């Protein structure tokens, strides 16, 4: 039996990925640099979430929370998962992963919240990255290896993608010499919300663990058991 701790990191991961998304859409990094130079310069490439199409790959706790915020901003939210089940309220539609190539060209924003595993490693490879709109934004708050780093660098060198927000990378930590650090369309945070320093995380983990230990010792069903047949 294998159980997990659902919802432990959900709020913090969602907040950071929303922050990445908005910073990339609003070109905040550019304006911060201008402020340091005391420059008042307007730009025409500032974009809005309202009316955009957000493709969310991975419809677990993280993806569902992120989708709810995107939908509140007026975006159309489309989820991608391995096995289709009941559609959560925060999604307007869902598609199976087999339809990923078909749906990618429609996305203004792609958000990835995938677990690790052979089925998700380099799911977003260079070929799929080139299916996206030239100004599409992609953010990743799941596992770093779900995006092929060599493919990502290749499309960025060609001037594609409007922005990339990464809280996870391949490898981790990202080497100081990696070229992604210096791409102005890329925002990188060091897996900032994936550890136990957040308030209350360890307490909630221990509460779940001790409850399951009690259930196990009493011969009762465990909570939060992972269904090996359920997809992302």
């Amino acid at each position: 039996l294998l159980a997990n701790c659902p919802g432990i990191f959900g709020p913090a991961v969602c907040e950071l990925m929303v922050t990445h998304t908005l910073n990339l859409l609003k070109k905040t990094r550019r304006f911060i640099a201008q402020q340091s130079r005391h420059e008042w310069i307007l730009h025409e490439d500032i974009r809005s979430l309202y009316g955009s199409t957000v493709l969310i790959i991975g419809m677990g706790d993280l993806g569902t929370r992120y989708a709810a915020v995107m939908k509140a901003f007026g975006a159309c939210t489309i989820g991608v998962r391995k096995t289709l089940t009941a559609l959560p309220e925060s999604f307007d539609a869902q598609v199976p992963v087999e339809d990923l190539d078909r749906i990618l060209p429609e996305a203004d924003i792609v958000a990835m919240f995938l677990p690790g595993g052979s089925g998700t490693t380099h799911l977003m490879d260079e070929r799929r990255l080139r299916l996206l709109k030239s100004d599409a934004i992609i953010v990743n708050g799941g596992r770093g290896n779900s995006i092929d780093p060599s493919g990502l660098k290749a499309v960025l060198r060609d001037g594609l993608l409007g922005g990339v927000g990464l809280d996870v990378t391949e490898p981790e930590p990202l080497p100081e010499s990696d070229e992604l650090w210096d791409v102005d369309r890329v925002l990188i945070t060091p897996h900032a919300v994936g550890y136990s320093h957040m308030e209350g995380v360890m307490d909630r983990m221990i509460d779940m663990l001790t409850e399951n230990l009690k259930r196990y010792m009493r011969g009762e069903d465990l909570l939060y058991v992972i269904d090996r047949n359920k997809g992302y």
Side-chain angles (χ1 to χ4, degrees), residues 55 57 107 140 151 156 221:
L55 186 66
I57 306 176
N140 189 8
L156 287 169
D221 291 339

Side-chain angles (χ1 to χ4, degrees), residues 2-201:
L2 182 64
N4 61 9
C5 299
I8 290 292
F9 298 108
V13 173
C14 175
E15 289 168 7
L16 183 58
M17 289 299 98
V18 170
T19 300
H20 274 329
T21 303
L22 290 172
N23 278 331
L24 292 166
L25 283 172
K26 304 302 182 183
K27 311 297 181 185
T28 308
R29 186 172 178 177
R30 181 190 301 166
F31 287 122
I32 291 173
Q34 287 180 194
Q35 181 176 345
S36 68
R37 299 190 297 267
H38 301 187
E39 295 176 346
W40 186 281
I41 303 174
L42 298 178
H43 301 275
E44 297 182 355
D45 59 349
I46 304 302
R47 295 161 58 190
S48 176
L49 270 175
Y50 185 83
S52 63
T53 297
V54 181
L55 186 66
I56 300 160
I57 306 176
M59 295 173 63
D61 178 63
L62 303 181
T64 299
R65 288 178 183 271
Y66 178 87
V69 178
M70 296 294 103
K71 194 169 184 178
F73 272 102
C76 172
T77 56
I78 302 174
V80 177
R81 70 190 338 168
K82 186 176 181 180
T83 304
L84 300 185
T85 59
L87 185 68
E89 291 184 2
S90 55
F91 289 92
D92 294 300
Q94 64 178 330
V95 298
V97 69
E98 290 80 10
D99 288 350
L100 183 58
D101 288 2
R102 175 184 63 80
I103 202 73
L104 280 173
E106 301 179 19
D108 299 299
I109 299 163
V110 175
M112 304 186 69
F113 300 99
L114 292 173
S118 59
T120 60
T121 298
H122 293 180
L123 182 73
M124 192 63 67
D125 56 14
E126 182 176 348
R127 180 187 65 81
R128 286 197 168 115
L129 289 167
R130 292 186 183 278
L131 294 177
L132 293 169
K133 297 176 181 179
S134 61
D135 61 351
I137 285 172
I138 183 167
V139 298
N140 189 8
R143 291 290 180 268
N145 64 7
S146 62
I147 299 178
D148 177 13
S150 61
L152 177 61
K153 293 168 189 175
V155 299
L156 287 169
R157 289 190 210 105
D158 289 345
L160 301 176
L161 298 180
V164 180
L166 304 173
D167 188 48
V168 289
T169 61
E170 181 188 340
E172 287 189 15
L174 192 65
E176 292 182 11
S177 59
D178 197 288
E179 65 186 84
L180 286 177
W181 289 112
D182 299 313
V183 181
D184 61 5
R185 305 193 308 285
V186 177
L187 293 178
I188 298 171
T189 46
H191 211 145
V193 292
Y195 298 103
S196 59
H197 60 267
M198 293 181 295
E199 183 179 358
V201 167

